[in-house]
Amino acid sequence: MYIPMGSIITVCMILTVIFANRYPNGGINRLAPNWLLHTIGLLTGVAGFWNVFWYGIQHIGEFWGHMALGSGALMILLSVQLTVPRAREIAWLNTARPFAIVALLIFAFFYAKTIHSL
């Protein structure tokens, strides 16, 4: 069985959005054990690095290369907050987090819509 990488990246984006979101009342972050947050953060961080440094850079002049760079950078940014405890105390990361979550959600919907239409 073959699972296309775009589908895996889309699932990773959705996981990042779910676990990085802290609304309402701390979101799933408050209820999830630390080992789960770290595992999800590591998984989405690796997917983000793959998206940026493998696909995005190889296809930098194409539309999907730009999409990979943008979504990968957002996954990396949000995965840092899931895996590094001190990152939750950095003011600019806390300010950027809601915007990054919304932007990543838009990327995830676009990826999912495109995959669905194939």
Side-chain angles (χ1 to χ4, degrees), residues 47-58 68-74 76:
F49 275 107
W50 181 88
N51 227 14
V52 169
F53 293 109
W54 191 83
Y55 193 87
I57 289 177
Q58 282 190 359
L69 287 171
S71 62
L74 290 170
I76 292 167

Side-chain angles (χ1 to χ4, degrees), residues 47-109:
F49 275 107
W50 181 88
N51 227 14
V52 169
F53 293 109
W54 191 83
Y55 193 87
I57 289 177
Q58 282 190 359
H59 300 90
I60 198 142
E62 302 171 13
F63 174 75
W64 284 107
H66 296 169
M67 293 290 284
L69 287 171
S71 62
L74 290 170
M75 281 195 294
I76 292 167
L77 176 74
L78 292 169
S79 73
V80 166
Q81 287 207 317
L82 292 173
T83 56
V84 180
R86 290 187 180 171
R88 295 178 188 154
E89 301 168 6
I90 300 173
W92 73 268
L93 276 177
N94 287 326
T95 302
R97 185 177 33 80
F99 300 107
I101 289 171
V102 170
L104 189 60
L105 186 61
I106 292 168
F107 275 111
F109 278 135

Side-chain angles (χ1 to χ4, degrees), residues 4-16 44 46-48 50-51 68 71-72 75 104 108 111 115:
M5 196 62 187
S7 299
I8 294 169
I9 292 296
T10 305
V11 168
C12 288
M13 283 191 270
I14 293 168
L15 282 174
T16 306
T44 59
V46 168
W50 181 88
N51 227 14
S71 62
M75 281 195 294
L104 189 60
Y111 270 62
I115 290 168

